[in-house]
Amino acid sequence: MPSPTAPPVCKPNDPCWCGSGKKFKRCHRPTAERVRAGRLGPRRSVPDHIEHPPYAESGEPVRWDEPLVKSPEVLDRMRRTGAAAAEILRTVGAAVAPGVTTDELDALAHEECIRLGGYPSPLNYRWFPKSLCTSVNEVICHGIPDDRALCDGDIVNLDVTLWREGVHGDTNATFCVGTVDPESRRLVTVTRECMDRGIDAVRPGLPINVIGRAIADHADANGCAVIRAFIGHGIGEQFHTDLAVPHYFEPRATTIMEPGMTFTIEPMISLGSWQHQIWDDGWTAVTPDHSRVAQFEHTLVVTDDGADILTVPTEGPTAADVALEQALGNERSAAPSPSLR
Ligand code: MF3
Ligand code: CO
Ligand code: CO
C-alpha cells in the first residue's frame, strides 16, 4: 500500500515512493541516460529588416558603463521587450513534448523573436551558436539546442532572451516532459519558490545579498543546493552588466538596491551537487554528479517598495505559472487516490 505521507524524495535504497515495495533504485529512479551532446544544425539567420545588436556579427559584446538605474524612457522599452520575451517563452514552452528536439524548439524561438520584431539575444553572443538555451536534466544552464529529442520523464529549461528597441528581456522556466518522477517535480516546484522568495526580498535601501539569502534558506530547508557559478546580472541595453546577483548568501554583495535598477534573478537549484563542469563545447554546464537542476528567471526593476517583474506577458499566465501547474498537476495525478490523503 502506498503511504499517503510518503516523502517525494527517495534515497537509492529507500522503498520506492510508488509503493511497490522495491528499492527506489530498482524501481522509479530516473534511468534516463545522461545527456550527451547531439549534432548541431546550421546557423539560423535574422532578416535585415530586424535591427541587429552590436555583437551580432563579431560575437563580442561592446562593453560600456551603463547606469544601474534606468531612465523612465529606458524602462518603458524594457517593459515592452520583457513582455514580448515572456510571450515567446510561453509559446516555446507549449511546444515541449516527448520526441521534440531541442533544435526544433530553437527554430520556434528564433521565428517568434523575429515575428515580434526582435533579435534572439543568444545568437552569436560571445559566439553562442543558437537562439535559445535548452538545458535538460543535469544540464545547469547554457545547453545548446541540437538534434536530441526530449524523452518522457525529462525536465528542460528554456531560456529566452529578446533584444528589441535596444534593450534585452531575459526569462526562463523549467518544463516537465510527459510523466516526470516526483523528485524532479518537487525540484521544479522548490526552484520556482526560490525565485519567488528572491523577488520578494527585493527592496530599495537593502543590500543585494538579501536576495541570495532568501533563496539559499529556502533551498536548504528543502534539501536542495544552490549552484554557485552562475548568478543573476544587471541588464538593459547590455545583456549582462557588472552588477552581480548571487543566489547564495554572499556578504560582499553589498550594492544597495535603488528604485529603477534592473537585474535578473535566476536561481539554478540542484538535487545534489552545487558544483559544475563545462563540456568541451565551452558552454554546456552540468553537475559533476549528474544530479538534476531546475531554474526559473525573470528580469525585474526595483520599485519604491519592492520589485516589478518586466518579463510578464501582456495577458494570460506567465510561463513560470504554466510550468508550476505542470509540476503540481503532474504530482496530483501521480499521488495516491484522494481518499488516502
Ligand atoms: N540567458 C542567459 C542568462 O540568463 C545567458 C545566455 S548567454 C548565451 O543570463 F550566450 F548562452 F546566450
Ligand atoms: Co539572465
Ligand atoms: Co536567461
Side-chain angles (χ1 to χ4, degrees), residues 79 202-205 257-261 300-309:
R79 210 174 282 283
V202 172
R203 192 139 308 159
M257 292 183 271
E258 280 179 60
M261 275 185 185
L300 53 86
V301 58
V302 181
T303 63
D304 290 336
D305 58 358
D308 200 4
I309 301 172

Side-chain angles (χ1 to χ4, degrees), residues 159 161 170 172 231-233 235 239-240 264 266 297:
D159 193 345
T161 313
D170 189 6
N172 75 46
I231 62 183
H233 50 93
I235 183 169
F239 197 165
H240 300 97
T264 70
E266 49 179 302
E297 174 176 30

